[in-house]
Amino acid sequence: MNPKYDDLLKSKMSAESYAKLTALKNQKVYDFVGEFAEHCDPASIFVCDDSEKDNQYIRDQALAKGEEHSMALSKQTIHWDGYGDQARDKVNTRYMVYPENLEKMKTLNSVAYDEGYKEIMGIAKDNMKGKDAVVKFFAEGPTGSVFTIPCVQFTDSWYVAHSESILYRTAYEHFLNMKESEKGDFFRFIHSAGKLDDRGCSVDLDNRRIYMDTQNNIVYSMNDQYAGNSVGLKKHSMRLAISKSGKEGWLCEHMFVMACVNKEKNRKTYFTGAYPSACGKTSTAMIPGEQIVGDDIAYFRNINGEFRAVNVEFGMFGIIKDVNAKDDPVIYENLMKDQEVIFSNILLGKDKKPYWLGQGVDAPDEGLNHFGEWKKGVKDAKGNEVGIAHGNARYTMRLDYLDNIDEKGFNAKDGVKVEGILYGGRDSDTTVPVEESPNWKDGILLKAATLESETTSATLGAEGVRKPSPMANMDFVSYPLGEYTINNIKFGESVKNCPKVFSTNYFMRGPKGEFMTSKLAKKVWLHWAEGRIHGEYETYDTPTGKIPLYKDVKELFKKYLDEDFSEADYTYLFTFRCSKWVQKLERTKAFYEKMDANTPKEIYDYWDAAIAKINAAKEKYGDEIKPGDYKG
């Protein structure tokens, strides 16, 4: 081992921590820790292994340093980010890009490498001074697997270290057992919360920066605490993995992994699904009676010709707003148990119990929240009334607490075999509730690439505006969109048995603006898709795919929801609207042209052919084509 940092590290570490670091016999890990020990200058560094003793030390330090606070239930804690640090900082989250790649990355919020490196290292200089830091080892995906991506986190936030201990599998032993050829291939994360106020919140938000170097697999995050900015293994790691997968021929997707359980047929079918924010992703993954493997990020690999997936994570970092006993009984029940949960940016009542927006219980009129001392009606410096909790408040919890977890799939080192993929957006007048793609390429280009999320009355700005969200992944795609889309097509076509692809839309509105189905109708659409995978149910064709027959969905509504589903509602919901679809495809083309000037011509040719097909159908059948009328 190069002894360059020996004296420095020995001065900042206990003998036990130093021994843990050097036992890895990994020069790259050693140099990473040494470089930032010197540059950020923490007072001490604790090296954490996989033991419960070390993990308990992290929990204890998070409380002792005031980064978390105890609650009525002994294993639960609460954390508050600063009032101005409540969501992902998209403006200051940038890719550091080598000069030769800068032009093709210009639409993805990039900065020239030398400029970005100089800035972030300037901000990081002495940013941990006087603080205690921790080095922790994790894995994205199961350890000891072809899916495994090892990670090292160096942070001065014990809340961040605690969060990641819940969200990811520990991997010190994995690093200890690495072959020599593997020792250079891992992700690195350096994070500092920076200067803190008397509540323990980051104060230097003007210098909040999250800079990602996908070329060298390192992320720099400075002067933040909100987990979307500070927890490196979450969406920062996802961006590194998307870039890595694009070079290596696999996929990292913003998807849940779940099992659809057909008790009558005694079978379990694995689905993955991508949905933009507020379009039904978590509620689909948590449909009552089904089983969950993961709720957010999936890796896909071709293993012996099979399309296989793992849940990258071990826990959930979920939005808590509107989680209540009626709509989310499994999650809500677990949030009320005395088990390890970190609440963030909600209200801690005088009774030391948690309260949040949409909880469905009466909240107290005072307590502590992300604003500080809070009383009903209090206003912030801008004159805005402060609610009991932030709309983006979160809970951090282990997935294996859930009764509906598929334990075998959750722990499978070779992942689960995916047979169906769902892509769901939000629109009120175009996409039918469920439609099957005729093939994989069509699924990517007509279902995934065309995803949109329609603004609602709860969103600032105009209502009904469609925001493009290809693959529900635009915030995290870390190389040009056209190339990423082609890689999705190539991967699916490389496996022997490609999953069936389905679009879903839970937000179709009727003539008077009302939602046409209940929240649980998604169970019907899922089970119809499950039946199609196994060769069941006849279909009607549309210009973009295949839809169910009325008799089948009527039966499924009765079977799973004990609801009568009218033929009039079926006809309205599954009518193909030609002009609306042409407009949707034109918006998609315009978005790709804006985001990636080098989008391959074959993609536009495919969309143009689809538009021609739809216009021909419109000419023959009229603008609105009822189910069963279209004959190709």
Side-chain angles (χ1 to χ4, degrees), residues 428 507-517 569 572-573:
S428 58
F507 303 98
M508 179 69 81
R509 293 180 183 269
K512 298 178 181 178
E514 77 284 10
F515 287 120
M516 296 289 291
T517 58
D569 283 354
Y572 184 89
L573 283 168

Side-chain angles (χ1 to χ4, degrees), residues 21 53 165 185 221 374 439 473 481 488 533 537 569 582:
L21 181 66
K53 173 191 166 188
S165 296
D185 189 12
S221 175
W374 177 86
N439 57 61
N473 210 9
L481 179 59
N488 264 265
I533 286 167
Y537 305 131
D569 283 354
V582 170

Side-chain angles (χ1 to χ4, degrees), residues 486-512:
I486 289 293
N487 282 344
N488 264 265
I489 294 169
K490 287 180 178 177
F491 179 82
E493 292 178 344
S494 74
V495 300
K496 292 177 184 175
N497 296 310
C498 198
K500 281 185 177 289
V501 180
F502 302 86
S503 61
T504 65
N505 176 27
Y506 308 143
F507 303 98
M508 179 69 81
R509 293 180 183 269
K512 298 178 181 178

Side-chain angles (χ1 to χ4, degrees), residues 258-462:
M258 68 174 296
C260 180
V261 180
N262 190 320
K263 293 181 180 178
E264 286 185 359
K265 302 290 176 68
N266 193 30
R267 69 190 181 208
K268 185 184 289 189
T269 305
Y270 289 100
F271 283 81
T272 64
Y275 292 70
S277 179
C279 291
K281 183 180 182 185
T282 300
S283 60
T284 302
M286 296 290 291
I287 291 174
E290 318 304 338
Q291 294 183 330
I292 187 169
V293 176
D295 76 315
D296 198 29
I297 304 172
Y299 290 168
F300 297 148
R301 284 189 177 271
N302 179 342
I303 299 180
N304 298 322
E306 292 185 344
F307 192 117
R308 301 192 73 85
V310 297
N311 167 26
V312 171
E313 302 177 302
F314 192 73
M316 303 175 72
F317 176 64
I319 295 175
I320 202 168
K321 182 184 177 185
D322 295 331
V323 171
N324 57 65
K326 179 183 177 183
D327 295 330
D328 304 278
V330 177
I331 293 176
Y332 188 82
E333 178 187 350
N334 277 279
L335 294 178
M336 295 295 103
K337 291 180 179 179
D338 191 10
Q339 57 192 12
E340 188 176 17
V341 178
I342 306 173
F343 295 98
S344 61
N345 304 318
I346 65 171
L347 181 73
L348 182 69
K350 298 275 185 170
D351 56 6
K352 301 194 80 173
K353 292 182 180 179
Y355 297 93
W356 60 84
L357 299 168
Q359 186 180 2
V361 304
D362 292 331
D365 292 338
E366 59 182 321
L368 294 171
N369 68 4
H370 60 292
F371 181 73
E373 293 278 352
W374 177 86
K375 290 186 178 180
K376 191 173 183 180
V378 70
K379 295 183 178 180
D380 65 16
K382 295 182 179 179
N384 300 313
E385 187 170 326
V386 181
I388 64 166
H390 195 275
N392 194 34
R394 301 280 180 148
Y395 63 90
T396 303
M397 180 177 74
R398 291 167 60 117
L399 264 166
D400 61 4
Y401 286 161
L402 304 180
D403 291 339
N404 62 333
I405 193 165
D406 175 10
E407 290 188 19
K408 185 177 179 181
F410 182 62
N411 293 307
K413 291 188 183 299
D414 61 349
V416 297
K417 181 182 177 181
V418 179
E419 297 185 79
I421 297 183
L422 308 176
Y423 288 101
R426 174 191 282 265
D427 75 61
S428 58
D429 60 11
T430 306
T431 313
V432 299
V434 64
E435 183 177 78
E436 177 189 334
S437 289
N439 57 61
W440 174 262
K441 186 174 183 178
D442 186 275
I444 296 300
L445 292 180
L446 293 189
K447 303 293 189 263
T450 63
L451 275 185
E452 297 176 306
S453 180
E454 187 176 70
T455 56
T456 68
S457 58
T459 307
L460 292 176

